[in-house]
Amino acid sequence: MKCLPELHVLKAPLMFPTIERIGSSPSGRLATPLLQYLRWISVGFSYVLSYIPQQAKRTLIDWYFAKCNIPECALRSCLNLFDPVCVDKITYMAKHEMLEVLDLDSVSLKPLIPRLIFYFGANDHWCPISYFESTRKLFPEGDIRLCNQGYEHAFVLESSVDCANMVWEWLKDDILN
């Protein structure tokens, strides 16, 4: 928003924001050592799996998500997890996020607070409630909300339409006026 003021950003919803201390979150404490020392195992495993026929890969994905209501586009995207180059890039990026996204940059956020909407998960292991509480204390004037709908951190898998409708309700007055 600061770099491109000509875009005239009215509001920016930050859904389940992983903008601080990712590596020290409950999920981060588990993922960080795996990503630091064992990420090549996942790349090697995806290399082996890349030789499985496409239909078999799709069958595995459908089986894994059988009890979930996942959009077709997300299921197709999961096929990328059988591509070792993609897995290498995913795990590389995740490793660096764990190690580099540390303290909240409150100085940069402060002037943007009137245009930001923070939406924290009530049971988010990447961004626990303590992050919600500290953000509310740091920015008491901010629009900082805690999910009471039971949405997961990976809301795009099963709750994308519900979340989109919720965000539209938050933004429609700003957009239409």
Side-chain angles (χ1 to χ4, degrees):
M1 287 191 271
K2 192 164 62 174
C3 296
L4 299 169
E6 69 276 4
L7 292 181
H8 304 293
V9 175
L10 300 173
K11 290 283 185 184
L14 304 176
M15 305 296 287
F16 303 87
T18 50
I19 56 174
E20 64 174 314
R21 300 176 282 162
I22 299 174
S24 61
S25 69
S27 290
R29 284 192 303 273
L30 174 66
T32 300
L34 295 174
L35 291 164
Q36 278 186 286
Y37 306 112
L38 302 174
R39 68 182 273 268
W40 294 108
I41 292 173
S42 63
V43 175
F45 190 61
S46 67
Y47 177 77
V48 172
L49 293 177
S50 69
Y51 287 98
I52 296 174
Q54 255 337 74
Q55 187 54 46
K57 294 173 191 174
R58 180 55 196 251
T59 301
L60 282 171
I61 291 167
D62 290 342
W63 169 79
Y64 183 81
F65 289 113
K67 294 181 181 172
C68 305
N69 185 22
I70 308 293
E72 178 61 27
C73 60
L75 294 173
R76 281 193 313 273
S77 294
C78 287
L79 289 170
N80 289 323
L81 297 175
F82 293 95
D83 177 354
V85 173
C86 185
V87 171
D88 179 43
K89 292 182 184 322
I90 290 168
T91 56
Y92 178 83
M93 181 188 75
K95 172 186 165 184
H96 284 277
E97 286 178 345
M98 299 298 138
L99 299 175
E100 295 174 20
V101 179
L102 302 172
D103 296 326
L104 184 66
D105 184 0
S106 58
V107 173
S108 295
L109 284 175
K110 185 72 173 163
L112 304 174
I113 289 299
R115 294 188 278 169
L116 297 177
I117 301 171
F118 293 85
Y119 190 69
F120 289 86
N123 190 25
D124 186 344
H125 300 290
W126 288 105
C127 191
I129 289 180
S130 61
Y131 294 13
F132 160 77
E133 292 166 347
S134 64
T135 305
R136 283 187 79 172
K137 284 181 186 161
L138 192 58
F139 304 114
E141 72 283 10
D143 188 351
I144 302 164
R145 305 169 188 213
L146 184 64
C147 175
N148 61 3
Q149 306 293 321
Y151 299 138
E152 299 287 330
H153 182 87
F155 66 91
V156 296
L157 292 179
E158 294 192 78
S159 307
S160 58
V161 172
D162 293 337
C163 283
N165 288 331
M166 177 179 67
V167 170
W168 169 247
E169 288 301 318
W170 299 345
L171 303 179
K172 71 179 178 185
D173 290 339
D174 291 309
I175 292 171
L176 297 176
N177 292 331

